[in-house]
Amino acid sequence: MTVPTPASVAIRPFEVTHRGILSIAVPMTLAYLTTPLLGLVGMGVIGRLGDAALLGAVALGAVIFDFVFATFNFLRSGTTGLVAQALGADDRTEIQATFYRALIVAFAIGLGVLLLSQPILTVALAALGGSPAVQAATTEYYSVRVFSTPFALANYVMLGWLIGLGRSTLGLFLQTFLNGLNILLNLVFVLGLGWGIAGSALGTTIGEAVTAILGLTLVVSRLDRAHRPSLAQILDRRQVFRMIAVNRDIMIRSFTLLFAFGFFASRGAKMGDVVLAANAVLMNFFLVGGYFLDGFAAAAEQYAGRAIGARYKPAFIRSMKLTLGWGYVLAAIAACCFWFGGPYLIDWMTVNQAVRDTARHYLAWTALTPLAGVLAFEMDGVFIGATWSEDMRNMMLLSLVLYLAVWAVAEPLWGAHGLWLAMLVFLSARGFTLAWRCRARTRAAFA
């Protein structure tokens, strides 16, 4: 979906600097890195209770909510692109209208998840399995945490809106507050009050709710009353359909990405428990590398969207060059850290010697993932900011076809090495196909 750029719209030049890029990328990188810390603390708190079924329940519960929230992650990324474009066009009313419009969608989806919570749980438990004890504990955890959904989705909207305006420091504050409060409440409810797995879920739910209320208070207090949109402007049919189209394509793209990683895990499982565990350890390296690169992808989203809205091509081109340059620097650093520090990290993550040896055997592939994926991360940011969501969807599907084609040939020949090769092809293909489409899209947008 492309924002209209009629010739009558004024070109609004603005400067893109290293400092400006870093002012968005650094806070967002720090914000993203607090997320895995929350997961580690949550597992550690429940782990101290000494019940394996509770640990399994937290793991399964996390999978369920990761899937639900990943499905609706477009509320973050789609909002960023639309707000950045409105900022570039200096349309102050539309900046606010986009916020309220996305917030309405977030609460509507959250209400829908609550109404369908039982069917969602039934399907999830059937798909994930687990012992009766694990499933019972997962049900207890899910039944409390599901009430966090409307608040979590509202937090997505606020984070996306703040990134779109380039106010990433406030976004960092809210994310840090959210994860810090979640950690504190988990410690108090589980270890202090002895409320078990329900206490962990309640801590997360309260954390999301309090952060949503705080975020709304901070955001609304910063809105300019002189440009407050009317209800008719918020519910404008053209803008609503545009948001739906952008969000639909991003959701399809997210599902495709989830399928690709799920397929990777399932193929590893068919090679035995040791390979499955080793791949899981190594994929954590890739995910951490992704958190580092996501900060510059957020900067690419904001500047690309703003340039499209301002119809100012020099800023669009320069923002791509700077975010890509910084992205490759970080990717190279991450690759070196994985290669030289990987054996020590592997030993820290598992005590199983067979898993350690197998993970070391495939470590080189993991070290290459940041370099293979950096172009995809940064181009994702450009396309999200420009709301070229249809191309994102199509290039993701094309990359998935290439991934499966390479896998079909490489895995029978080289086993797990072939599976990792297919993953690197998938990551690289996403970046190169988007870069290929970007040239034509750029010409059309700034014609």
Side-chain angles (χ1 to χ4, degrees):
M1 185 76 178
T2 306
V3 65
T5 54
S8 60
V9 176
I11 296 175
R12 300 179 181 277
F14 64 94
E15 190 176 6
V16 180
T17 64
H18 287 281
R19 183 176 182 178
I21 294 291
L22 291 173
S23 70
I24 296 174
V26 172
M28 291 318 303
T29 297
L30 294 174
Y32 291 139
L33 286 174
T34 63
T35 300
L37 175 62
L38 172 62
L40 288 173
V41 172
M43 291 293 286
V45 167
I46 294 298
R48 288 185 173 273
L49 300 180
D51 189 336
L54 296 184
L55 271 177
V58 170
L60 290 189
V63 169
I64 295 172
F65 286 104
D66 284 348
F67 184 82
V68 170
F69 294 145
T71 300
F72 303 116
N73 188 48
F74 58 73
L75 289 166
R76 204 285 300 163
S77 51
T79 301
T80 295
L82 295 171
V83 170
Q85 290 180 21
L87 176 66
D90 197 28
D91 190 341
R92 303 291 171 174
T93 301
E94 182 56 27
I95 288 174
Q96 296 190 38
T98 300
F99 172 70
Y100 288 119
R101 201 176 291 130
L103 207 58
I104 291 171
V105 172
F107 279 116
I109 293 174
L111 180 60
V113 171
L114 289 178
L115 293 174
L116 296 173
S117 60
Q118 191 55 50
I120 292 172
L121 177 62
T122 301
V123 172
L125 291 178
L128 295 172
S131 68
V134 167
Q135 293 215 350
T138 302
T139 300
E140 183 181 6
Y141 178 84
Y142 174 91
S143 299
V144 176
R145 191 179 168 187
V146 72
F147 288 99
S148 73
T149 305
F151 304 107
L153 298 183
N155 287 328
Y156 277 6
V157 169
M158 284 182 281
L159 181 60
W161 191 79
L162 290 169
I163 294 174
L165 293 177
R167 299 178 184 174
S168 54
T169 301
L170 184 52
L172 168 61
F173 167 73
L174 289 176
Q175 285 296 107
T176 304
F177 178 84
L178 168 63
N179 291 326
L181 182 59
N182 281 350
I183 290 171
L184 175 63
L185 292 177
N186 268 266
L187 290 171
V188 171
F189 291 165
V190 178
L191 298 183
L193 299 177
W195 290 354
I197 195 165
S200 177
L202 182 61
T204 301
T205 300
I206 293 176
E208 294 282 3
V210 171
T211 304
I213 294 169
L214 175 62
L216 284 171
T217 302
L218 293 174
V219 168
V220 172
S221 68
R222 285 164 168 74
L223 297 179
D224 186 354
R225 294 186 179 183
H227 296 95
R228 180 171 293 173
S230 66
L231 183 61
Q233 289 172 309
I234 294 172
L235 301 179
D236 178 80
R237 180 178 296 182
R238 184 177 66 87
Q239 294 292 354
V240 169
F241 282 144
R242 182 182 175 213
M243 176 176 281
I244 291 172
V246 169
N247 291 344
R248 176 202 63 207
D249 293 334
I250 294 175
M251 184 170 67
I252 294 172
R253 169 247 185 203
S254 298
F255 272 133
T256 306
L257 191 60
L258 285 171
F259 172 81
F261 288 122
F263 181 82
F264 180 89
S266 70
R267 294 307 307 173
K270 291 184 181 298
M271 298 177 191
D273 290 349
V274 172
V275 172
L276 172 63
N279 282 353
V281 168
L282 294 175
M283 282 302 290
N284 277 298
F285 293 5
F286 167 68
L287 293 175
V288 170
Y291 284 120
F292 280 104
L293 297 174
D294 268 342
F296 286 96
E301 292 175 28
Q302 201 277 337
Y303 275 102
R306 185 178 173 189
I308 289 289
R311 298 188 65 244
Y312 189 51
K313 186 176 180 179
F316 185 85
I317 299 299
R318 179 161 172 77
S319 67
M320 278 201 300
K321 289 180 178 179
L322 293 188
T323 53
L324 274 172
W326 278 106
Y328 273 111
V329 169
L330 277 186
I333 293 172
C336 290
C337 289
F338 292 163
W339 177 251
F340 293 107
Y344 303 102
L345 291 172
I346 290 168
D347 288 349
W348 179 76
M349 294 178 72
T350 178
V351 296
N352 186 298
Q353 193 58 46
V355 174
R356 285 177 171 180
D357 293 340
T358 303
R360 284 189 176 88
H361 189 60
Y362 301 118
L363 178 61
W365 294 107
T366 306
L368 292 173
T369 54
L371 294 171
V374 62
L375 183 59
F377 278 97
E378 302 310 318
M379 293 310 299
D380 267 354
V382 170
F383 275 67
I384 285 171
T387 59
W388 296 336
S389 56
E390 184 179 348
D391 286 295
M392 284 184 66
R393 178 199 68 199
N394 292 343
M395 296 306 103
M396 177 66 81
L397 292 171
L398 175 59
S399 300
L400 179 66
V401 171
L402 292 173
Y403 168 50
L404 295 176
V406 172
W407 161 78
V409 175
E411 186 185 295
L413 293 175
W414 302 305
H417 285 294
L419 181 61
W420 275 100
L421 173 62
M423 175 56 68
L424 259 65
V425 168
F426 174 65
L427 295 174
S428 301
R430 286 178 55 212
F432 284 117
T433 54
L434 287 174
W436 167 66
R437 283 298 299 153
C438 189
R439 298 182 64 181
R441 278 294 203 172
T442 302
R443 287 195 299 267
F446 298 101

